[in-house]
Amino acid sequence: MDLLDSMEQLQSSISTMTNREQVIHMLADCQDAAVAIGEALERDSSDHELIVSLLEEYCEEAFHVSELQEETIYNKKTLILDNLTNKIKVFLAKIPSIYHVVFMPYKASMWDSLESIWQACREDERCECYVMPIPYYEFDSQTNRWIYHYDGDQFSEEIPIVHYQDYSLEQICPDVAYVHNPYDDCNLVTRVDSKFFSGELKRYVRKLVYVPYYITSGLVPKEHLAFPVYRHMDYMVAQSEYGKHSCSGMYYYDKILPFGSPKLDRVIRLCREDGLIPDAWKPLLNGKKILMLNTSIGCFLQDGGIYLQKIKRICEVIRCQSQVALIWRPHPLLAATIRSMRPHLLDEYNSLKEYFIENKIGVLDETSDISRVVSISDAYIGEEGTSVIYLFGAAGKPIFILNNHITDVSTDTEKRRVHITDMVRLEDKIWLTTNSYNALLYMENDMKSVHYVGRVKKQPKWYGAYPFLAKTGKKLFLSPNIAGRPAVYDMDSCEIKLIGEADLDESAFRGRIIPYGNRIFYLPFVDDHIAELNIVTGEWSYHTKCIQELWEDVGQEEAVKQGVIWGYAISGKDMWLTATYTNRILRFNMEDGTYALCSVGSGRGGYSGIVAEERYLWLTEVNSGNIVRWDRRSGKLMTFPMPGGFRSWSCTIPSRNLAHILLIDMENWMVTVPGFSNCMVKLDKKTGKTTLLIEDFWRKAEEKANGYNPEFFLSCDFGAKVDRDIIIVQRHYDDATALIHVEDETYEMYNPALGEEDFAKLTEGEDGFEKMDKKCGFFRRESKIFSFEGFVEDLINNRLEEIRERQMEELSTLAANLDGTCGDKVHEYMMNVLDNKE
């Protein structure tokens, strides 16, 4: 059609020409163009005889025109040529367009990110479809060289492969090219050949389409928003409108097609097929419920030997019954990682694999096809931080997230125990919150039996949704952690209501909550501001600059990792705030929002606990555990070292020990509450002497228990002043609570727990499956209440059948077209683009 347009332009020029040689030359060009069109048509298998005959007639007429001696009749003769080209155009327009489409994967294991689009393209008669794997390189840090790889021989036999050396982009200039590598030269580990960088491809490709090789919760991760491919692509496939929305403000926003993911298409298709279990696996899997256990390098490096012990425990549970089998998929590089980074655990890992195989727990799967394993499995067990859970989510199969520290089923008594995180006294009750689940609780003055009031509705139930609270008037304000917005409990109406119009897209992750007059201040845990709510007007204010200045020495990433704000103390209208990553203390005026940053000490570490007096600030050093007293007038610092027998240990966050979580002012004494340490410490303000407090109560702090390990969890999450002489604390080991008389150092120990009736109210009709927020999956999490053994029993007895409908509804933000038609939708959209000549 383009050649015909050029021929018509030449024809219109001939009538005005007087140079005969020039006319003959131009007519010869027209004849060549006609011959080229004819040859192209003859290469097609369809019958184009009529058009070819018109082209032959055109060539004859062009020859006759070139023979004319009189220029005056050129115009009449060119009209004949015009008529012929118009007829040819009419017939050509009736021929369906044939588009050249090329798929350019680099890793065969990532082909599933393109497969369903290719399948739709392959079945379309309008397309010539090619799969051309491109070469890539992996960096070898030992030799400091890039190692060449080509996966063309690793694809299924049903996929016709074209070698990249036999395919010329420059000559073919495909209409559409699909790629799944976004990095170009920005990946330091794996890199495609520079000939196939997105900028080079776009020189020869009409429409370049990028399809992500990964699956997320739906959104596009922040670290993925600036890849080189975005500068050159014409379109990008996103999982959902939610995913597209996460790219708001990016220059390529209008190029995003929220059609789903071909990876999910493949899983959904395989789940619909029967007889997928490989023959070699059938003796171990046939007739059983199948669990897939996914184990990653990251989870192993984080939990080490505990991780291996957890897997062994899972195997033991399955070994003891005959109705469930396990497909275990260790990461391909897990053994190599253990050998190089945790060699002392290699024998334990190898023994675990031998135990698994010898006891026929199931299948040790080392294949590359994760989709097929998903399709034959009945449920997923394992960690949360993997894209595999989204494949199970799309397949409508239940997901159970393991807690590597839980080693046994909790008793009914243990399930009813309450792990306290905050407490306030209001009227004749002591009100409690917990980080174990979403619940408002209270105790009578005996401080032993706990009662369930209710939970904040439309928020996660089985996470620590509201771990902190504060009172003002006859209302209790709840600070949202794993929840979308704050809440308030009205003592008069006995109702819990949400504050604000809508949830955030992600959990709020707020920390402590501080009332002041008619205002409530929510301290940040990950955010860059202190949020202020006027409870009269309902208006919000955000104090950002003070937080950004507080963390400027270490940066936002480090501050968020440790917790932006740790401790607080109130002195008049001033709120004094500590952070574990800096020696600077933030003084924030709650009346007018002004602030100052005060450097205390040498700057080699931060502070956790804090008490503010008129003249002094008392602080606990994060690493040493020492208590310091800072004179605000003179700037002098006095240090009170820890007593003999006090020990602290490193935690999972490098560069800090966090010896104490709180410092409590008891008039004549300062008392610490232990973090990663073995005991409370009592400081006599007059003498400066420090001693251990109720040492025997804390002896278990260094021991492991079901769900607790001192290397990973604080010795204590909670401590508070009850009255002039009494402190309440709760150890993490077993939730045992102590009411301590500080002066004579006696204490009473008990376990605060819900009664059977209250516990039934908390758990009645609940199965533990839920979605934390929009960016998370829908699953049940292992806990004291929901055990792995209980999950297995539910699966065996088909009690999880109704989960699918809820799961698919909750995962509406995960991906569009969860009926498996993403590939069809992407292909049809691109065909419409080409048909409309966009």
Side-chain angles (χ1 to χ4, degrees), residues 206-207 234-235 829 832-838:
R206 184 173 167 191
K207 298 296 179 184
D234 295 285
Y235 296 100
Y829 184 90
N832 290 334
V833 167
L834 296 178
D835 286 343
N836 294 325
K837 299 188 181 300
E838 292 183 11

Side-chain angles (χ1 to χ4, degrees), residues 717-728:
D717 273 341
F718 165 75
K721 183 176 181 178
V722 176
D723 60 26
R724 184 175 176 274
D725 182 51
I726 297 177
I727 288 176
I728 182 173

